[in-house]
C-alpha cells in the first residue's frame, strides 16, 4: 500500500455527540465488524473497558484499522468528557486529520470548543460531521452558523440534508450535484428534489466562491461563469482543507445508518495522508537552536513518538507509537532520546480495538503497539541511534482535584503502590504522592469522574479495595511581593563541617512558573555550587511553607553568597538555599492560588434566576449568556473548583433535572483574604486531627 492511500484520523467531539456510534458504523460499513455494537447496551467495539460499558461513555482513546475504497484508515476514537482531555491531546498529536462531530441539536458545546482549540494547537486539518439529524430540534444550518461564530471554523457545507427530525430522509452532495436516500443500510441515488434545487445551487455557488480564493484556475472559470469540473473542485477543496483555510461540513444520522458511506468517502477525499502532512521537525538533542526534518519515507532515519501506554493483563505493557519516518523491525535496537537510553523492540502489534495482530515490521504513518519497552513513557521520542532528535512533546494540563486513599487492609499497601504506579504510567494526567506527615496516599487528577474511574479500576483490574477520603482542591502557593533573603548555614560536627551562605531575591513571576537566575560575581559561590543552590530550591517547590502545596510562579535571583574551601559541599549549599528560600517566601506576602474552572450551563429559561443565584453563592461569575435553542439559554462563566463538589445534584434539584453543565480547568487564581484564612484554618484543624 502506498503512503498516499493511508489516513490516520481521530474522531473527537463533546460528550454524547455520537462519536463511538459513528465509529461503530464506520467499522460495520467497511466490513471490520459483522454487527453494529451500541453504546447504550454496552456492546460498542471501541468501548471495551468495563467502566466505559457501564457508563456509556468513552474513557480511553482506542485505535482500530480498516479499509475503504483501496485506502487504509487508522481510526482513533477519543473521549468527549473533559476529565479525559489528555486522551484527546495525545491522539491529536499523532493523527494527520480529524472528524469533528457535532450534534445537530446541541450544536457547538463546551467540549467541542476545547477539542477544536486542541486541534488548532497541533494544526490538525479537519472535516465536520453534523450527526443526529433525525433528532427532535435538529437544525443543520444553525450548527454551521455556530461553528463559524464560536470556532471561527470557516465551515462550508459540502452536503445539505433533505428534511430534519422525523422527516430526515437523505443527503445532497453539492459538489457532485447528487442526492441520496438510505433504506435498510443501503444508499440509493435519486434526483435532487425540486424544492431543494435552488438551495443546492446557492450552497454550491457559495462553496465555489470561497474555494476560488485559493486557486486562480477556479477563479477564472467562476468569473467567466463556466462549469467547474468536479475533480478540480475536489482537488482544490482538499488542498484548502489541509492548509486549515476551510472546514468541509457533512451530515447524517449515524444511529439510523444515514450518511456513513458518504462520510467514509469524505475521509478519503479530503483528509490528508502522511505524504500530504509532510516532514516532521525535531530538535537536535545537543543544540536547541538546531532542528532536523524527517520525511514520511522508509529511507529516512527512524523516528516515532510514544503517545499512550496501556497495561494489558495478557501481554503486559503495550506502548502505542506513531511512526513518522524510517522502518521498525522486531528485535531492533532503537534509542529513547528523551531518556538518553537504548530500547529493544520485542513484538509489534497492530490493534483492532481489543484484538491484536502481530506484524514483523512497520513503517512511516503506522500506528502500532510495542511489547517489551521498559523505559518509554507518554511523550517520549524513539529514534535511530545514529540520528537522534527530540520530537514535539504532548501538552499535559495540570491536575486540579485530590483524594486521599488507603488500602482497606495494611497488607495491601505494596499492592496498591504497584497498581497506582501502573495507572500513573498509562495516564500522565494522573499523579500520586505520599504525605509523610499524615501517612496517606494522595492521588490527583482532572476531575471527580477521572478519580472515580481510577478507584474503580483499582478494584476491578488490580483487586485492591481502597478507603477514600473526601476530595480536596489542589491549591498552589506563590508570593505577591519582592523580597531579599539571606541565610548562612554553618555546622561543626567534629571532622569536616558544613558551610554555605546565600543571598537571593525572590520576585513574583505570574504565569511563568519557576525561574532561577544566577548573577553572582567574582566567584563568591563556585560554579559547581550554583547548581546545588538551584537543586535545593527545586526540592522545596513541591511542598510550600505556607500550607504544604506546590509553589508556582516565583523567580529567584541569586546575587551573592560565600563558601569555605573545606567545609562547603553540594549538600551544604542545597540545605542553605532551601532554608534561605523558605524564609524569604514567608516574608514575601505568600498567598494561595485556587483552580478556577470555565463552566457552561445549558438551562431552560424558567430556571435562569435560580441557576445564576446558586452560581453567585459559589463565588461564580457569569461572563456571557446566549440563546441555546428555543426556550433555553447557554450561560458561560468562571467558578472556583472548591465550590463545585456535588454541583451535579444541586443543579438537578434547582432545575427539576432539566439543566446540564460541563466544566474544564481555566487557570489558577488568587484566593481572597477571607477565603484563604478559612482554608488555612481548616487545614490546620485537619492536621491536628491527623496527629
Amino acid at each position: 500500500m502506498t503512503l498516499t492511500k493511508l489516513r490516520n484520523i481521530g474522531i473527537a467531539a463533546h460528550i454524547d455527540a455520537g462519536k463511538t456510534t459513528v465509529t461503530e458504523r464506520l467499522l460495520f460499513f467497511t466490513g471490520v465488524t459483522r454487527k453494529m455494537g451500541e453504546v447504550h447496551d454496552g456492546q460498542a467495539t471501541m468501548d471495551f473497558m468495563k467502566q466505559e460499558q457501564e457508563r456509556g461513555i468513552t474513557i480511553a482513546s482506542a485505535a482500530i484499522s480498516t479499509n475503504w475504497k483501496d485506502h487504509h484508515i487508522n481510526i482513533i476514537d477519543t473521549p468527549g468528557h473533559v476529565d479525559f482531555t489528555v486522551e484527546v491531546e495525545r491522539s491529536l498529536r499523532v493523527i494527520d486529520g480529524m472528524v469533528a462531530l457535532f450534534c445537530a441539536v446541541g450544536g457547538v458545546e463546551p467540549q467541542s470548543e476545547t477539542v477544536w482549540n486542541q486541534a488548532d494547537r497541533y494544526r490538525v486539518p479537519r472535516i465536520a460531521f453534523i450527526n443526529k439529524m433525525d433528532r427532535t430540534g435538529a437544525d443543520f444550518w444553525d450548527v454551521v452558523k455556530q461553528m463559524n461564530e464560536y470556532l471561527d471554523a470557516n465551515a462550508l457545507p459540502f452536503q445539505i440534508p433533505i428534511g430534519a427530525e422525523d422527516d430526515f430522509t437523505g443527503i445532497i452532495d453539492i459538489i457532485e450535484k447528487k442526492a441520496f436516500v438510505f433504506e435498510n443500510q443501503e444508499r440509493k441515488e435519486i434526483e435532487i428534489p425540486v424544492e431543494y434545487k435552488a438551495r443546492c445551487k446557492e450552497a454550491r455557488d457559495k462553496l465555489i466562491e470561497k474555494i476560488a480564493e485559493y486557486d486562480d484556475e477556479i477563479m477564472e472559470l467562476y468569473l467567466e461563469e463556466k462549469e467547474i469540473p468536479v475533480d478540480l473542485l475536489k482537488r482544490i477543496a482538499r488542498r484548502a482543507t489541509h492548509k486549515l483555510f476551510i472546514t468541509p461540513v457533512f451530515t447524517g444520522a449515524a444511529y439510523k445508518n444515514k450518511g456513513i458511506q458518504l462520510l467514509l468517502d469524505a475521509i478519503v477525499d479530503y483528509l490528508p495522508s502522511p505524504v500530504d502532512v509532510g516532514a516532521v521537525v525535531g530538535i537536535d538533542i545537543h543544540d536547541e537552536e538546531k532542528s532536523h526534518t524527517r520525511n514520511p519515507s522508509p529511507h529516512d532515519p527512524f523516528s516515532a513518538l510514544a503517545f499512550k501506554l496501556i497495561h494489558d493483563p495478557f501481554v503486559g505493557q503495550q506502548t502505542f507509537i506513531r511512526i513518522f519516518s524510517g522502518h521498525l523491525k522486531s528485535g531492533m535496537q532503537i534509542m529513547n532520546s528523551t531518556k538518553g537510553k537504548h530500547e529493544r523492540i520485542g513484538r509489534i502489534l497492530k490493534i483492532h480495538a481489543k484484538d491484536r495482530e502481530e506484524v514483523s515490521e512497520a513503517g512511516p504513518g503506522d500506528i502500532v503497539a510495542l511489547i517489551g519497552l521498559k523505559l518509554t513513557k507518554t511523550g517520549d521520542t524513539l529514534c535511530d541511534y545514529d540520528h537522534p532528535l527530540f520530537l514535539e512533546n504532548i501538552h499535559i494540563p495540570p491536575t486540579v482535584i485530590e483524594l486521599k486513599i488507603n488500602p482497606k487492609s495494611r497488607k495491601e499497601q505494596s499492592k496498591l503502590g504497584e497498581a497506582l504506579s501502573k495507572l500513573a504510567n498509562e495516564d500522565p494526567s494522573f499523579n500520586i504522592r505520599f504525605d509523610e506527615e499524615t501517612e496517606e496516599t494522595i492521588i490527583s487528577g482532572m476531575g471527580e469522574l477521572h478519580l472515580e474511574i481510577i478507584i474503580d479500576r483499582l478494584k476491578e483490574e488490580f483487586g485492591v479495595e481502597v478507603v477514600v477520603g473526601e476530595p480536596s482542591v489542589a491549591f498552589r502557593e506563590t508570593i505577591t511581593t519582592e523580597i531579599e533573603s539571606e541565610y548562612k548555614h554553618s555546622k561543626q560536627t567534629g571532622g569536616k563541617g558544613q558551610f554555605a551562605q546565600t543571598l537571593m531575591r525572590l520576585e513574583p513571576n505570574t504565569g511563568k512558573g519557576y525561574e532561577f537566575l544566577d548573577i553572582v560575581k567574582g566567584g563568591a559561590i563556585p560554579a559547581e555550587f550554583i547548581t546545588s543552590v538551584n537543586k535545593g530550591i527545586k526540592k522545596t517547590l513541591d511542598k510550600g511553607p505556607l500550607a504544604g502545596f506546590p509553589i508556582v510562579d516565583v523567580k529567584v535571583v541569586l546575587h551573592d553568597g560565600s563558601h569555605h574551601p573545606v567545609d562547603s559541599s553540594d549538600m551544604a549549599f542545597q540545605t542553605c538555599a532551601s532554608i534561605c528560600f523558605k524564609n524569604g517566601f514567608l516574608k514575601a506576602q505568600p498567598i494561595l492560588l485556587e483552580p478556577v474552572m470555565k463552566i457552561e450551563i445549558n438551562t431552560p429559561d424558567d430556571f435562569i434566576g435560580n441557576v445564576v443565584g446558586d452560581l453567585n453563592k459559589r463565588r461564580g461569575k457569569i461572563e456571557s449568556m446566549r440563546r441555546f435553542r428555543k426556550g433555553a439559554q447557554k450561560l458561560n462563566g468562571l467558578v472556583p473548583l472548591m465550590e463545585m463538589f456535588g454541583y451535579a445534584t444541586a443543579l438537578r434539584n434547582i432545575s427539576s433535572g432539566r439543566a446540564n453543565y460541563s466544566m474544564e480547568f481555566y487557570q489558577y487564581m488568587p484566593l481572597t483574604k477571607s477565603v484563604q484564612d478559612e482554608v488555612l484554618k481548616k487545614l490546620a484543624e485537619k492536621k491536628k486531627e491527623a496527629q
Side-chain angles (χ1 to χ4, degrees):
M1 184 203 63
T2 61
L3 270 178
T4 52
K5 297 207 165 181
L6 175 63
R7 301 286 181 272
N8 284 318
I9 67 158
I11 297 183
H14 185 86
I15 192 165
D16 215 23
K19 291 180 304 303
T20 302
T21 304
V22 167
T23 310
E24 290 297 322
R25 298 308 187 263
L26 295 177
L27 298 180
F28 177 78
F29 283 108
T30 54
V32 172
T33 51
R34 297 284 169 82
K35 75 179 193 56
M36 291 177 255
E38 304 297 356
V39 175
H40 55 77
D41 59 17
Q43 295 299 309
T45 310
M46 299 297 269
D47 285 352
F48 54 87
M49 283 169 65
K50 181 173 181 283
Q51 292 79 7
E52 295 176 312
Q53 291 166 357
E54 283 172 356
R55 290 169 176 79
I57 61 169
T58 300
I59 293 163
S61 53
I64 198 158
S65 302
T66 187
N67 294 290
W68 182 253
K69 290 191 173 172
D70 201 22
H71 285 69
H72 186 72
I73 305 170
N74 289 322
I75 304 170
I76 295 182
D77 177 36
T78 61
H81 197 287
V82 69
D83 281 17
F84 308 103
T85 189
V86 76
E87 289 285 341
V88 184
E89 281 283 344
R90 50 182 167 194
S91 301
L92 286 170
R93 174 65 187 85
V94 296
I95 58 178
D96 299 325
M98 179 175 106
V99 178
L101 227 63
F102 297 91
C103 169
V105 182
V108 174
E109 297 184 85
Q111 192 63 8
S112 323
E113 294 190 41
T114 306
V115 169
W116 197 268
N117 294 336
Q118 287 172 309
D120 279 343
R121 181 188 295 134
Y122 296 112
R123 295 199 54 76
V124 178
R126 64 214 83 149
I127 60 175
F129 184 73
I130 297 175
N131 190 26
K132 303 191 178 184
M133 275 306 298
D134 56 327
R135 289 267 299 273
T136 305
D139 188 335
F140 174 84
W141 296 101
D142 187 50
V143 180
V144 174
K145 186 174 157 227
Q146 286 181 40
M147 284 175 69
N148 287 326
E149 214 171 295
Y150 305 128
L151 306 176
D152 198 18
N154 221 343
L156 288 173
F158 277 44
Q159 295 175 346
I160 56 175
I162 300 172
E165 303 179 343
D166 288 344
D167 299 327
F168 174 60
T169 54
I171 292 164
I172 299 167
D173 179 331
I174 60 177
I175 284 199
E176 302 215 6
K177 294 194 279 192
K178 290 177 179 176
F180 299 92
V181 290
F182 303 89
E183 288 162 16
N184 303 324
Q185 299 166 17
E186 294 295 321
R187 61 173 163 171
K188 202 167 82 182
E189 193 178 326
I190 59 162
E191 272 290 308
I192 295 175
V194 176
E195 65 272 30
Y196 281 90
K197 286 195 169 171
R199 177 164 261 194
C200 178
K201 185 182 182 313
E202 185 192 330
R204 195 171 198 272
D205 288 348
K206 203 172 174 184
L207 176 66
I208 291 168
E209 190 182 320
K210 190 73 193 170
I211 288 174
E213 292 176 22
Y214 310 113
D215 185 75
D216 292 343
E217 192 181 344
I218 290 185
M219 178 65 85
E220 212 173 292
L221 292 166
Y222 173 67
L223 293 173
E224 290 170 7
E225 296 186 6
K226 287 182 180 170
E227 185 58 34
I228 295 163
V230 168
D231 285 354
L232 175 65
L233 198 51
K234 275 189 171 181
R235 192 170 74 247
I236 305 307
R238 176 182 171 81
R239 196 192 305 158
T241 306
H242 295 180
K243 290 185 174 172
L244 275 63
F245 294 151
I246 61 168
T247 305
V249 181
F250 303 88
T251 190
Y255 185 57
K256 299 275 175 70
N257 307 314
K258 293 178 179 179
I260 297 300
Q261 300 101 319
L262 298 175
L263 176 61
L264 280 159
D265 289 346
I267 288 167
V268 164
D269 288 344
Y270 299 108
L271 288 181
S273 71
V275 175
D276 297 314
V277 173
V280 289
V281 179
I283 296 164
D284 190 284
I285 66 168
H286 304 298
D287 182 355
E288 282 187 19
E289 302 298 309
K290 265 192 193 171
S291 62
H292 301 286
T293 55
R294 294 283 182 270
N295 292 298
S297 157
H299 308 298
D300 266 31
F302 172 72
S303 68
L305 189 79
F307 70 97
K308 185 177 174 64
L309 268 67
I310 289 181
H311 177 75
D312 187 298
F314 302 107
V315 294
Q317 185 175 290
Q318 294 181 16
T319 308
F320 281 76
I321 67 163
R322 156 73 197 260
I323 301 173
F324 291 101
S325 62
H327 70 281
L328 191 64
K329 287 186 174 172
S330 38
M332 235 170 102
Q333 282 257 2
I334 53 169
M335 184 189 188
N336 178 328
S337 57
T338 313
K339 300 279 191 298
K341 299 271 174 68
H342 277 125
E343 284 274 35
R344 191 170 184 282
I345 303 302
R347 294 158 64 202
I348 304 171
L349 304 177
K350 288 215 167 169
I351 303 294
H352 304 284
K354 62 184 170 187
D355 301 319
R356 329 172 180 80
E357 172 204 345
E358 190 160 343
V359 292
S360 58
E361 59 182 355
D366 282 341
I367 290 175
V368 292
L370 304 180
I371 310 292
L373 298 192
K374 294 190 166 53
L375 306 161
T376 303
K377 301 271 189 294
T378 295
D380 285 2
T381 298
L382 300 173
C383 56
D384 184 286
Y385 192 74
D386 297 322
H387 302 87
L389 81 170
F390 292 128
L391 295 172
E392 183 193 347
N393 205 325
I394 293 164
H395 171 75
I396 310 293
T399 58
V400 293
I401 183 173
E402 294 185 338
L403 275 183
K404 294 183 176 72
I405 64 166
N406 281 308
K408 273 199 170 166
S409 70
R410 280 266 178 202
K411 286 184 295 188
E412 296 203 298
Q413 188 69 52
S414 67
K415 198 174 170 189
L416 174 66
E418 278 172 37
L420 286 174
S421 72
K422 277 175 183 162
L423 290 170
N425 252 353
E426 281 183 21
D427 181 356
S429 66
F430 168 64
N431 294 332
I432 320 148
R433 65 186 172 86
F434 187 73
D435 190 321
E436 284 171 16
E437 282 181 41
T438 60
E439 293 194 341
E440 286 173 314
T441 301
I442 293 162
I443 59 173
S444 56
M446 304 303 298
E448 288 182 272
L449 180 63
H450 186 195
L451 296 186
E452 186 190 308
I453 299 286
I454 293 279
I455 286 153
D456 208 12
R457 288 185 67 193
L458 283 172
K459 184 181 169 186
E460 296 296 334
E461 287 173 39
F462 300 96
V464 182
E465 289 207 44
V466 291
V467 180
V468 179
E470 61 180 71
S472 61
V473 172
F475 293 104
R476 298 286 185 265
E477 298 183 17
T478 193
I479 56 173
T480 54
T481 188
E482 197 174 296
I483 202 90
E484 291 281 340
S485 182
E486 178 183 358
Y487 182 71
K488 185 192 282 185
H489 176 65
S490 180
K491 266 191 181 174
Q492 290 306 123
T493 49
K496 192 181 171 188
Q498 285 188 33
F499 181 88
Q501 183 179 16
T502 54
L503 279 84
M504 59 180 72
R505 186 168 70 248
L506 275 61
E507 301 171 4
N509 199 27
T510 311
K512 293 179 186 165
Y514 165 70
E515 273 184 69
F516 178 76
L517 184 62
D518 155 38
I519 56 168
V520 175
K521 299 229 168 35
I525 301 175
E528 68 267 25
F529 296 140
I530 300 286
T531 319
S532 310
V533 171
N534 192 14
K535 220 189 279 178
I537 297 168
K538 277 184 171 173
K539 281 183 180 173
T540 315
L541 297 178
D542 285 346
K543 206 166 183 185
L546 182 61
F549 293 107
I551 293 169
V552 294
D553 298 347
V554 177
K555 183 176 184 177
V556 176
V557 182
L558 180 68
H559 57 82
D560 206 355
S562 63
H563 73 289
H564 186 278
V566 177
D567 292 347
S568 287
S569 65
D570 170 55
M571 192 42 73
F573 268 99
Q574 279 197 49
T575 308
C576 175
S578 176
I579 296 167
C580 185
F581 177 79
K582 279 182 188 170
N583 293 348
F585 190 90
L586 288 168
K587 288 181 201 155
Q589 295 174 19
I591 56 163
L592 286 181
L593 301 172
E594 63 175 336
V596 172
M597 313 299 280
K598 258 201 279 192
I599 187 167
E600 179 162 299
I601 306 166
N602 300 331
T603 174
D605 292 344
D606 303 355
F607 305 108
I608 282 178
N610 293 348
V611 169
V612 172
D614 179 70
L615 210 61
N616 287 339
K617 273 190 224 157
R618 297 170 187 269
R619 297 191 288 126
K621 193 171 82 181
I622 297 291
E623 296 204 306
S624 68
M625 290 168 73
R626 56 183 161 100
R627 177 70 52 207
F628 168 41
R629 56 173 178 257
K630 201 175 174 193
Q633 299 266 2
K634 274 185 197 272
L635 312 180
N636 288 77
L638 300 174
V639 63
L641 175 68
M642 69 182 288
E643 307 290 349
M644 295 304 282
F645 294 125
Y647 182 64
T649 309
L651 185 64
R652 209 175 296 129
N653 292 340
I654 57 179
S655 69
S656 307
R658 290 176 62 202
N660 60 60
Y661 79 102
S662 79
M663 283 194 312
E664 65 175 297
F665 174 68
Y666 173 57
Q667 66 182 56
Y668 273 91
M669 288 181 166
L671 280 169
T672 59
K673 177 132 182 25
S674 58
V675 178
Q676 178 167 310
D677 291 345
E678 207 178 299
V679 167
L680 291 173
K681 190 179 160 194
K682 275 186 188 163
L683 289 166
E685 283 167 7
K686 272 188 190 171
K687 213 171 184 182
K688 234 185 215 171
E689 281 169 29
Q691 287 165 355

